[in-house]
Every structure is written in structure tokens, then in C-alpha cells.
Amino acid sequence: MDAQTLVDERGELWLALAPLWLEREPRETDYARMIAEIERHELSLRDLEWIFRLELAPVMARHQLSVAGEWRSFNDYQLMQQLVSHNLRLKGWRRKSWALFSGLTTMMTRHRWNELIGRLMVERGETP
């Protein structure tokens, strides 16, 4: 898969889910945007979990651990470049390594992720 295809297929979803890693709690509008994007992509909960753990968390966790000023001045273009670069290299041993360590890269946002999944399940008419 080339970079443009990644941006076309996942870009909006990645940007919608990025507020999970901000230093503040996501707003209602953030959650609504996330759910709308997820529904637009018609993703299962299993697929969504792997996107969270493998495609987003390794890149986003680095920003979460950096100085807050750097995150505030961060722009979508730079974020997209980093996400595309990471995902183009996400094959073989790298994919397995990130799957193994995904618990570490997701633990700071897991409570927000659980909130999002709960809201998504309610939206879909499922029992959380």
C-alpha cells in the first residue's frame, strides 16, 4: 500500500481519534466526531482495536510523553506524515513487536478508549 492510499483510507479516522491522546479529556464533540468517522468506515470493534493498538498508539504515545508545548503546536500535516511513515513500515517483525508492546503504548489512553467503545456500542444498539 502506498502513502496516498493510506491517507485516503485511514487519514480522517486517524485525525478523528487523535484527541484521545491530548492532555485534556476529549469533549462531547470529539467523541461525536470519532463515532461518526468509525461508522463511516464501518469498522468492527476488533478491527478498531487493532487500528488503535498498531496504527495509532505507537506514534501518538510519543507525543503524549513529550513536552505539552510540542503537542499544542503540532499540526495535522506533521501528524499525518508520522502516521503514514509508521504504517508503511508496519510489516513482519515490526507489526509483531508493536502488538506485543501495545499494552504499554495504550495504557495512558485506555480509559478514554473504553469510554469511546462504550459510546459506540450504545450508538450501534449493542450492550456495552
Side-chain angles (χ1 to χ4, degrees):
M1 187 178 300
D2 65 281
Q4 188 58 50
T5 305
L6 265 176
V7 170
D8 293 343
E9 288 183 11
R10 293 278 206 250
E12 290 299 318
L13 178 65
W14 289 340
L15 292 178
L17 294 175
L20 292 171
W21 281 270
L22 289 175
E23 66 270 6
R24 63 166 173 74
E25 288 296 316
R27 298 182 194 106
E28 290 298 318
T29 55
D30 293 328
Y31 281 119
R33 180 176 175 223
M34 290 177 211
I35 289 172
E37 252 335 287
I38 291 166
E39 291 294 72
R40 189 174 73 77
H41 284 84
E42 300 176 348
L43 295 165
S44 70
L45 295 180
R46 180 179 166 84
D47 292 341
L48 201 52
E49 178 71 24
W50 286 110
I51 289 169
F52 173 64
R53 292 171 70 177
L54 296 179
E55 295 179 14
L56 283 166
V59 174
M60 301 303 290
R62 286 182 236 146
H63 294 290
Q64 194 174 29
L65 296 173
S66 69
V67 235
E70 183 181 331
W71 178 252
R72 285 191 197 125
S73 66
F74 208 74
N75 68 43
D76 291 347
Y77 181 75
Q78 288 174 318
L79 178 59
M80 193 60 65
Q81 281 182 317
Q82 291 176 347
L83 286 166
V84 167
S85 176
H86 165 75
N87 282 281
L88 287 175
R89 293 187 313 261
L90 195 59
K91 295 175 178 69
W93 67 268
R94 287 177 197 241
R95 185 175 200 78
K96 291 175 185 169
S97 295
W98 284 119
L100 180 64
F101 293 108
S102 64
L104 294 173
T105 58
T106 61
M107 72 180 186
M108 297 292 287
T109 56
R110 184 53 70 175
H111 66 287
R112 295 173 181 175
W113 180 254
N114 291 340
E115 175 69 20
L116 173 63
I117 295 304
R119 290 172 183 234
L120 178 63
M121 291 177 79
V122 168
E123 179 75 20
R124 291 179 174 177
E126 300 172 8
T127 306

